[in-house]
Amino acid sequence: MNGAEGLVRTLLDAGIEVCFANPGTTEMPLVAALDRHPGIRPVLGLFEGVCTGSADGWGRMTGRPAATLLHLGPGFANGIANLHNARRARTPLLCLIGDHATWHARFDAPLQSDIASLARPVSGWVHASRSAKELPSDGARAVAAAWGPPGQVASLVVPADCQWEESEGPAPVPPRPSLPCVGTETIETTAHALRRASSSALLLSGAALSEPGLRAAARVAAASGARLVCETFPARLERGRGLPPVERLPYFPDAAAQSLAELSDLVLVGSTDPVSFFGYPGVPSLIAPQACARHALAAPEEDGVAALDALADALEAPRAPAVVEPPAPAPASGALDPQTLGATVAALQPEGTILVDEGLTSGLPHFLAAAGAPPHTHLCLTGGAIGIGLPLATGAALACPERPVLALQADGSGMYTLQALWTQARESLHVTTIVCANQSYRILEIEQARAGVTEPGSATRAFTELRPPELDWVALARGQGVPAARARTAEELARELRRALGEPGPYLIEALL
């Protein structure tokens, strides 16, 4: 048995089920090992950012790591942006990166690079194997590192000779660690703070945004009057009818600061002190007011759900407080704009939908309308590196083939990773993509306006307008093997969305805004 086979058998024993790959010459022994030891589903991505974004989607929906297999430093570099998003989402993810044979590295071949230096900024764990005998145990340590807690990107560099030389076989993988419990003193201190707070909020992240977490948080809110707030772009949020509603922290810092301005106390549950996405002249980086007391109930690596339940018990909260039901959304009519698009999608999305939101400036109206939609899962762009939407939907669909996946996708960011459509077609995934085609980088136009630029010049227009030529998303989708149609009105969007949801396989709707 060679090192590649020992590694693959280790990953099989560890429960790795899928490998999103774009391999090359240095990864061929690993590809052959996947053939000789079946059980890990091979999924080809035509761009490495599709592989890493899909692995993020798989990990967010299953809570378990997928593997990616990338070709040397340049291939890994193509996937870094979505590994950045996965790191911010705290997604468990195993990244295997092929490398030159150890004895060949000193000759500085054309594809030689410092892979470890590329990997460190987006990984919680990085290691380069040095022998075939060590490779299986390195793989076991990588899987354990990906588990966390919290989940993280674990990057293992695998030189070619470590793959093809003889190895002793698979290595045992340690069991997944349980989340550490929050101490009694922290629970009591936080309960005391909430009892005396004049205006408080819980800032929820991670598992605190699961259904059990939300119900526990609602108990705390019922006993203390605290607001329930989540970060601007949560990795995964359960929402819809019957679930406790959560406020979403606004994107722009002035609006976000205003939303928290009256707080006397902010309780952090799986989250950190909220920070503005960018620095602006004269605007504080920290969003919550300086005088607001911060209370760290549960760190990201701790059991936030259990901490919320314990806090609710300490506050003598009701077991099942009533949930205020928002109105059910209704389909809109007339010309498409972000509001009519959002209302129509929210009204038609089925129960159990996985909603992948990279609609950017067109996504917020849907989020507001979908509060009263049937229960669903909402996945966001966590790290701000655009190009996650289509791959994230791909990975989510592979992870949950029994659930419909709806991707709200901005047109500009969709061009970063449109190759994910090909993978959706190849794997026959039930993903409906709605491209919000406003034919611009609208967020940059908004930032210009916020800076006081009312008449953009030719340079600004050159960098923010996506025409001429106009992108033809119907043709782009069909060229990747995905059926597609165009909608100019809410009624046309509703018709095409019903068709897409009623048929197996991927479908794309270009919504002209």
Coordinates of all heavy atoms in Angstrom, one line a residue, residues 62 138 166:
T62 N -23.8 20.0 6.8 CA -23.6 18.7 7.5 C -22.9 18.8 8.8 O -23.1 17.9 9.7 CB -22.8 17.7 6.6 OG1 -21.5 18.2 6.5 CG2 -23.4 17.5 5.2
D138 N -0.6 12.0 9.3 CA -0.8 13.4 9.0 C -2.3 13.7 8.6 O -2.9 14.7 9.0 CB 0.1 13.9 7.9 CG 1.6 13.9 8.3 OD1 1.8 13.9 9.5 OD2 2.4 13.9 7.4
E166 N 5.9 3.5 -0.5 CA 5.2 2.6 0.4 C 4.9 3.2 1.7 O 5.7 3.9 2.3 CB 6.1 1.3 0.5 CG 6.1 0.4 -0.7 CD 4.7 0.0 -1.1 OE1 4.0 -0.6 -0.3 OE2 4.3 0.2 -2.3

